[in-house]
Amino acid sequence: TQLLEQSPQFLSIQEGENLTVYCNSSSVFSSLQWYRQEPGEGPVLLVTVVTGGEVKKLKRLTFQFGDARKDSSLHITAAQPGDTGLYLCAGAAGGTSYGKLTFGQGTILTVHP
Amino acid sequence: DAMVIQNPRYQVTQFGKPVTLSCSQTLNHNVMYWYQQKSSQAPKLLFHYYDKDFNNEADTPDNFQSRRPNTSFCFLDIRSPGLGDAAMYLCATSRGYSSLGGYTFGSGTRLTVV
């Protein structure tokens, strides 16, 4: 069973601060995705990273996939209250396994004005 | 816009009374998933359909069943809801088993058991 561990589980910061969320596993993933979920809504895909060492930027969000494709990070610069939500990483199995996503336990981010 | 729609958004059911949650999609994706999510935790996969093929997760209780009458619709049936089944139920779709395009989730149905 592939497991993804996210840290921290909770993050409460002031507007304007920077933060990093980590997603780690002992397993190799063919791809890794980050989702953001607002209260009462379903998760929304932010990004998919595929290549080891890949870095993708989405405005103030920077996503990195580890060289060995076992870990990933999400860095938010100058956080805003609108960034508040549950952030989920999800890894897809590779090889002959079908692409079922394994979700991390999530990071609840609260950005205070 | 192509999307995944779940109805109802909120469902209250009595302990032990069967309940059905519905999901429809206009994306023409061939894979549909049902997840259970409790209190800001990670979604937990219950089962999925690849076209008409049903795939149950090993730890999904027998109390949970699913039907997919056609490509667009998928239903989650809870035969005898218990208090522990109160949760957000999320439907998601994907095009095949390639996850590169990500899953498209519905807004969920929040189930309350009284």
Side-chain angles (χ1 to χ4, degrees):
Chain A
T1 302
Q2 295 181 308
L3 294 175
L4 273 170
E5 293 189 5
Q6 267 185 256
S7 62
Q9 191 174 357
F10 301 95
L11 200 51
S12 180
I13 62 172
Q14 294 297 126
E15 182 176 2
E17 293 183 9
N18 302 332
L19 66 112
T20 302
V21 178
Y22 299 94
C23 182
N24 295 293
S25 176
S26 58
S27 303
V28 175
F29 292 98
S30 61
S31 66
L32 197 138
Q33 298 168 357
W34 286 91
Y35 291 82
R36 178 167 161 263
Q37 185 177 17
E38 296 187 20
E41 298 294 331
V44 175
L45 179 68
L46 295 174
V47 76
T48 300
V49 285
V50 179
T51 306
E54 183 177 3
V55 177
K56 281 192 174 179
K57 292 191 175 183
L58 185 64
K59 296 184 180 178
R60 293 175 293 100
L61 279 61
T62 302
F63 305 86
Q64 185 161 6
F65 201 14
D67 291 340
R69 291 186 287 131
K70 293 182 178 180
D71 56 88
S72 181
S73 63
L74 157 61
H75 182 79
I76 301 180
T77 303
Q80 299 177 0
D83 296 327
T84 294
L86 173 67
Y87 288 82
L88 295 160
C89 66
T96 57
S97 300
Y98 73 91
K100 183 176 73 170
L101 289 182
T102 298
F103 281 88
Q105 69 267 47
T107 295
I108 299 174
L109 171 64
T110 305
V111 182
H112 302 279
Chain B
D1 287 342
M3 56 178 59
V4 179
I5 301 170
Q6 289 187 244
N7 284 305
R9 289 294 304 273
Y10 301 92
Q11 175 74 57
V12 180
T13 191
Q14 291 180 336
F15 182 94
K17 184 176 180 180
V19 65
T20 295
L21 310 182
S22 74
C23 176
S24 64
Q25 55 125 342
T26 59
L27 297 159
N28 204 32
H29 284 172
N30 53 342
V31 191
M32 294 186 77
Y33 309 82
W34 278 105
Y35 282 86
Q36 180 192 65
Q37 187 179 30
K38 294 186 176 182
S39 188
S40 297
Q41 296 177 14
K44 178 181 181 296
L45 182 63
L46 296 174
F47 26 59
H48 76 276
Y49 274 95
Y50 190 108
D51 293 326
K52 294 184 178 181
D53 293 333
F54 177 71
N55 297 270
N56 201 25
E57 292 300 299
D59 56 354
T60 298
D62 293 339
N63 197 27
F64 291 87
Q65 304 286 319
S66 186
R67 296 169 285 134
R68 189 180 186 185
N70 54 53
T71 300
S72 301
F73 286 87
C74 195
F75 300 97
L76 169 62
D77 300 308
I78 308 177
R79 294 194 294 190
S80 181
L83 297 179
D85 296 328
M88 173 77 90
Y89 289 88
L90 295 165
C91 173
T93 70
S94 68
R95 186 181 301 281
Y97 277 149
S98 171
S99 60
L100 295 180
Y103 288 10
T104 302
F105 282 87
S107 297
T109 294
R110 179 160 301 280
L111 178 68
T112 301
V113 182
V114 298

